[in-house]
Amino acid sequence: MGIAEKFAEKFISAINSMTPDLADIYAGSHRQAMGDWHARQVAMVTASGAGSAILPGYHLAAMVADVAFVVNRLGVAGHGAGAILGYQAGRGDILGADDMAAIVLYWVGADDFTAAMKQAALGRTVAGFMPLVAGNPVAVNSGVHTMMGGLGYLAGQKVGSKAGAKAGGKLGAKVAGQLAAKLSAKLSGKVLSGFVPILGAVVAGGVNAWIVDGILDAAKDYYTDKLGILGGGAAGRALPGGA
């Protein structure tokens, strides 16, 4: 197993183990400006990545703690973006237990899932969604979970199967492969450059920034589609029950 595959496995495991306090994240982020929120989250992980690679030869152990810190920040950053967009759209708290898994799918390029979400945001019938109740937050969160399971992205779920209604599904092997491909070049550079003073710190900080920047962009895209389904976005206004 290569470096990217190992990190993808650890990354997915860390995402699946997250237990974010969504109410606390919403309270601490929803009134903030999106640009300020985005810049602050990227700056925090850039500093962490540089610190983990500052001593050549000792960076591998430090990177373990660094990855844990970055994944924790991803949860705060991604959900915070959703809190800001939900508040700005007049929908309040739209955060759900499966949102982080969905954001990761947007980030790695799970085109079947993102396409289904965008179809639902346009008011079109998609497996996992019933347009007549699409404006209901509980129904939408359940639909997100069902679609991820039906497309084979949740652990223990095969393509075409019906995911249970329980929220907070765990991402499975299918997304790990997509993530490994996305991270391959970035992670190899981060590990190898750690043996070179200064350069290692610059590259490590840059990789962390690239990950969090990408997750934040994915979160904005996902929550925009989710708001469309809820009726808070431009597409969502055409949905039955939309605002």
Side-chain angles (χ1 to χ4, degrees):
M1 184 182 290
I3 293 172
E5 288 76 15
K6 290 179 181 178
F7 269 79
E9 187 177 86
K10 291 181 180 297
F11 186 94
I12 294 300
S13 177
I15 290 291
N16 286 341
S17 299
M18 287 175 58
T19 55
D21 185 334
L22 298 183
D24 187 60
I25 292 174
Y26 180 80
S29 60
H30 70 283
R31 291 181 179 274
Q32 298 194 37
M34 182 65 78
D36 293 343
W37 178 259
H38 192 131
R40 186 160 58 254
Q41 303 308 310
V42 171
M44 290 177 69
V45 297
T46 300
S48 170
S52 74
I54 201 71
L55 296 177
Y58 292 92
H59 69 296
L60 292 177
M63 279 177 60
V64 175
D66 179 39
V67 170
F69 173 78
V70 171
V71 169
N72 177 68
R73 291 316 306 173
L74 293 182
V76 175
H79 288 116
I84 294 168
L85 289 176
Y87 177 75
Q88 291 177 344
R91 283 280 171 174
D93 189 349
I94 64 170
L95 306 183
D98 287 293
D99 285 353
M100 195 62 217
I103 291 168
V104 170
L105 292 183
Y106 269 63
W107 180 51
V108 301
D111 293 337
D112 48 0
F113 175 68
T114 58
M117 286 289 293
K118 292 181 186 304
Q119 287 296 304
L122 292 172
R124 297 170 184 166
T125 301
V126 177
F129 285 101
M130 294 176 61
L132 290 177
V133 294
N136 183 312
V138 175
V140 171
N141 287 332
S142 178
V144 169
H145 179 87
T146 300
M147 281 204 300
M148 288 194 294
L151 292 171
Y153 286 110
L154 298 182
Q157 295 289 334
K158 297 180 180 180
V159 175
S161 65
K162 293 184 178 180
K166 184 178 180 181
K170 308 299 184 183
L171 289 171
K174 182 177 178 179
V175 68
Q178 293 174 305
L179 178 58
K182 188 175 184 71
L183 296 179
S184 183
K186 293 287 184 179
L187 290 179
S188 296
K190 180 171 181 175
V191 172
L192 295 176
S193 66
F195 290 96
V196 181
I198 306 302
L199 174 62
V202 172
V203 172
V207 170
N208 284 3
W210 172 76
I211 292 174
V212 174
D213 189 58
I215 285 289
L216 278 163
D217 286 342
K220 294 171 192 176
D221 196 13
Y222 165 69
Y223 282 113
T224 296
D225 290 338
K226 188 175 185 180
L227 280 165
I229 299 166
L230 285 167
R237 285 201 266 282
L239 283 171

mmCIF file of all heavy atoms in Angstrom, residues 168-190:
data_model
loop_
_atom_site.group_PDB
_atom_site.id
_atom_site.type_symbol
_atom_site.label_atom_id
_atom_site.label_comp_id
_atom_site.label_asym_id
_atom_site.label_seq_id
_atom_site.Cartn_x
_atom_site.Cartn_y
_atom_site.Cartn_z
ATOM 1 N N GLY A 168 -25.647 9.898 9.910
ATOM 2 C CA GLY A 168 -24.262 9.756 10.319
ATOM 3 C C GLY A 168 -23.606 8.527 9.733
ATOM 4 O O GLY A 168 -22.827 7.850 10.391
ATOM 5 N N GLY A 169 -23.889 8.208 8.457
ATOM 6 C CA GLY A 169 -23.309 7.046 7.810
ATOM 7 C C GLY A 169 -21.800 7.149 7.681
ATOM 8 O O GLY A 169 -21.246 8.235 7.579
ATOM 9 N N LYS A 170 -21.121 5.999 7.679
ATOM 10 C CA LYS A 170 -19.675 5.956 7.564
ATOM 11 C C LYS A 170 -19.265 5.737 6.113
ATOM 12 O O LYS A 170 -19.789 4.857 5.438
ATOM 13 C CB LYS A 170 -19.114 4.818 8.431
ATOM 14 C CG LYS A 170 -19.579 4.829 9.881
ATOM 15 C CD LYS A 170 -19.164 6.095 10.614
ATOM 16 C CE LYS A 170 -19.561 6.054 12.082
ATOM 17 N NZ LYS A 170 -19.236 7.313 12.790
ATOM 18 N N LEU A 171 -18.313 6.515 5.645
ATOM 19 C CA LEU A 171 -17.820 6.360 4.284
ATOM 20 C C LEU A 171 -17.064 5.044 4.148
ATOM 21 O O LEU A 171 -16.366 4.613 5.062
ATOM 22 C CB LEU A 171 -16.895 7.528 3.925
ATOM 23 C CG LEU A 171 -17.579 8.884 3.741
ATOM 24 C CD1 LEU A 171 -16.539 9.990 3.608
ATOM 25 C CD2 LEU A 171 -18.504 8.872 2.534
ATOM 26 N N GLY A 172 -17.187 4.400 2.978
ATOM 27 C CA GLY A 172 -16.578 3.098 2.761
ATOM 28 C C GLY A 172 -15.412 3.128 1.796
ATOM 29 O O GLY A 172 -14.863 4.185 1.462
ATOM 30 N N ALA A 173 -15.028 1.941 1.307
ATOM 31 C CA ALA A 173 -13.833 1.774 0.485
ATOM 32 C C ALA A 173 -13.940 2.483 -0.860
ATOM 33 O O ALA A 173 -12.931 2.893 -1.430
ATOM 34 C CB ALA A 173 -13.563 0.284 0.283
ATOM 35 N N LYS A 174 -15.147 2.628 -1.383
ATOM 36 C CA LYS A 174 -15.302 3.239 -2.704
ATOM 37 C C LYS A 174 -14.726 4.648 -2.738
ATOM 38 O O LYS A 174 -14.013 5.027 -3.687
ATOM 39 C CB LYS A 174 -16.777 3.266 -3.103
ATOM 40 C CG LYS A 174 -17.038 3.849 -4.489
ATOM 41 C CD LYS A 174 -18.518 3.778 -4.857
ATOM 42 C CE LYS A 174 -18.787 4.401 -6.225
ATOM 43 N NZ LYS A 174 -20.219 4.314 -6.599
ATOM 44 N N VAL A 175 -14.999 5.416 -1.723
ATOM 45 C CA VAL A 175 -14.505 6.790 -1.708
ATOM 46 C C VAL A 175 -13.023 6.836 -1.352
ATOM 47 O O VAL A 175 -12.306 7.751 -1.760
ATOM 48 C CB VAL A 175 -15.323 7.667 -0.733
ATOM 49 C CG1 VAL A 175 -15.101 7.257 0.706
ATOM 50 C CG2 VAL A 175 -14.977 9.143 -0.907
ATOM 51 N N ALA A 176 -12.527 5.839 -0.617
ATOM 52 C CA ALA A 176 -11.109 5.817 -0.253
ATOM 53 C C ALA A 176 -10.229 5.763 -1.498
ATOM 54 O O ALA A 176 -9.178 6.411 -1.566
ATOM 55 C CB ALA A 176 -10.808 4.635 0.664
ATOM 56 N N GLY A 177 -10.645 4.988 -2.498
ATOM 57 C CA GLY A 177 -9.882 4.902 -3.735
ATOM 58 C C GLY A 177 -9.856 6.223 -4.473
ATOM 59 O O GLY A 177 -8.819 6.641 -5.012
ATOM 60 N N GLN A 178 -10.991 6.907 -4.517
ATOM 61 C CA GLN A 178 -11.052 8.212 -5.181
ATOM 62 C C GLN A 178 -10.201 9.241 -4.443
ATOM 63 O O GLN A 178 -9.540 10.079 -5.057
ATOM 64 C CB GLN A 178 -12.506 8.681 -5.264
ATOM 65 C CG GLN A 178 -13.373 7.824 -6.179
ATOM 66 C CD GLN A 178 -14.836 8.217 -6.123
ATOM 67 O OE1 GLN A 178 -15.432 8.252 -5.052
ATOM 68 N NE2 GLN A 178 -15.419 8.507 -7.267
ATOM 69 N N LEU A 179 -10.213 9.148 -3.118
ATOM 70 C CA LEU A 179 -9.427 10.066 -2.309
ATOM 71 C C LEU A 179 -7.934 9.815 -2.505
ATOM 72 O O LEU A 179 -7.144 10.754 -2.610
ATOM 73 C CB LEU A 179 -9.804 9.920 -0.836
ATOM 74 C CG LEU A 179 -9.038 10.783 0.160
ATOM 75 C CD1 LEU A 179 -9.193 12.255 -0.179
ATOM 76 C CD2 LEU A 179 -9.526 10.509 1.574
ATOM 77 N N ALA A 180 -7.523 8.549 -2.561
ATOM 78 C CA ALA A 180 -6.114 8.209 -2.748
ATOM 79 C C ALA A 180 -5.590 8.791 -4.053
ATOM 80 O O ALA A 180 -4.479 9.322 -4.121
ATOM 81 C CB ALA A 180 -5.928 6.697 -2.719
ATOM 82 N N ALA A 181 -6.390 8.703 -5.105
ATOM 83 C CA ALA A 181 -5.980 9.237 -6.396
ATOM 84 C C ALA A 181 -5.804 10.752 -6.325
ATOM 85 O O ALA A 181 -4.865 11.320 -6.897
ATOM 86 C CB ALA A 181 -7.010 8.875 -7.461
ATOM 87 N N LYS A 182 -6.689 11.404 -5.600
ATOM 88 C CA LYS A 182 -6.630 12.872 -5.486
ATOM 89 C C LYS A 182 -5.417 13.311 -4.665
ATOM 90 O O LYS A 182 -4.781 14.327 -4.963
ATOM 91 C CB LYS A 182 -7.915 13.383 -4.830
ATOM 92 C CG LYS A 182 -8.042 14.904 -4.834
ATOM 93 C CD LYS A 182 -9.383 15.329 -4.288
ATOM 94 C CE LYS A 182 -9.576 16.836 -4.380
ATOM 95 N NZ LYS A 182 -9.769 17.314 -5.757
ATOM 96 N N LEU A 183 -5.089 12.538 -3.622
ATOM 97 C CA LEU A 183 -4.026 12.925 -2.702
ATOM 98 C C LEU A 183 -2.637 12.465 -3.125
ATOM 99 O O LEU A 183 -1.641 12.920 -2.573
ATOM 100 C CB LEU A 183 -4.308 12.347 -1.309
ATOM 101 C CG LEU A 183 -5.547 12.843 -0.575
ATOM 102 C CD1 LEU A 183 -5.668 12.136 0.760
ATOM 103 C CD2 LEU A 183 -5.487 14.347 -0.365
ATOM 104 N N SER A 184 -2.547 11.564 -4.087
ATOM 105 C CA SER A 184 -1.296 10.878 -4.408
ATOM 106 C C SER A 184 -0.096 11.819 -4.550
ATOM 107 O O SER A 184 0.882 11.705 -3.807
ATOM 108 C CB SER A 184 -1.461 10.066 -5.694
ATOM 109 O OG SER A 184 -0.274 9.355 -5.970
ATOM 110 N N ALA A 185 -0.150 12.727 -5.483
ATOM 111 C CA ALA A 185 0.996 13.606 -5.723
ATOM 112 C C ALA A 185 1.254 14.541 -4.545
ATOM 113 O O ALA A 185 2.397 14.784 -4.165
ATOM 114 C CB ALA A 185 0.768 14.425 -6.989
ATOM 115 N N LYS A 186 0.199 15.059 -3.943
ATOM 116 C CA LYS A 186 0.355 16.007 -2.844
ATOM 117 C C LYS A 186 1.013 15.364 -1.632
ATOM 118 O O LYS A 186 1.923 15.920 -1.025
ATOM 119 C CB LYS A 186 -1.011 16.571 -2.443
ATOM 120 C CG LYS A 186 -1.665 17.441 -3.499
ATOM 121 C CD LYS A 186 -0.987 18.778 -3.616
ATOM 122 C CE LYS A 186 -1.705 19.673 -4.610
ATOM 123 N NZ LYS A 186 -1.065 20.996 -4.732
ATOM 124 N N LEU A 187 0.551 14.163 -1.249
ATOM 125 C CA LEU A 187 1.083 13.505 -0.058
ATOM 126 C C LEU A 187 2.498 13.021 -0.266
ATOM 127 O O LEU A 187 3.319 13.081 0.643
ATOM 128 C CB LEU A 187 0.174 12.342 0.345
ATOM 129 C CG LEU A 187 -1.187 12.758 0.892
ATOM 130 C CD1 LEU A 187 -2.018 11.538 1.229
ATOM 131 C CD2 LEU A 187 -1.026 13.624 2.130
ATOM 132 N N SER A 188 2.832 12.533 -1.434
ATOM 133 C CA SER A 188 4.198 12.083 -1.708
ATOM 134 C C SER A 188 5.156 13.250 -1.540
ATOM 135 O O SER A 188 6.208 13.132 -0.929
ATOM 136 C CB SER A 188 4.293 11.518 -3.130
ATOM 137 O OG SER A 188 3.496 10.363 -3.255
ATOM 138 N N GLY A 189 4.784 14.388 -2.082
ATOM 139 C CA GLY A 189 5.626 15.564 -1.952
ATOM 140 C C GLY A 189 5.760 16.018 -0.514
ATOM 141 O O GLY A 189 6.834 16.413 -0.059
ATOM 142 N N LYS A 190 4.684 15.915 0.237
ATOM 143 C CA LYS A 190 4.715 16.351 1.635
ATOM 144 C C LYS A 190 5.658 15.496 2.452
ATOM 145 O O LYS A 190 6.447 15.989 3.257
ATOM 146 C CB LYS A 190 3.307 16.304 2.228
ATOM 147 C CG LYS A 190 3.238 16.756 3.688
ATOM 148 C CD LYS A 190 1.805 16.888 4.149
ATOM 149 C CE LYS A 190 1.755 17.371 5.595
ATOM 150 N NZ LYS A 190 0.396 17.621 6.064
#
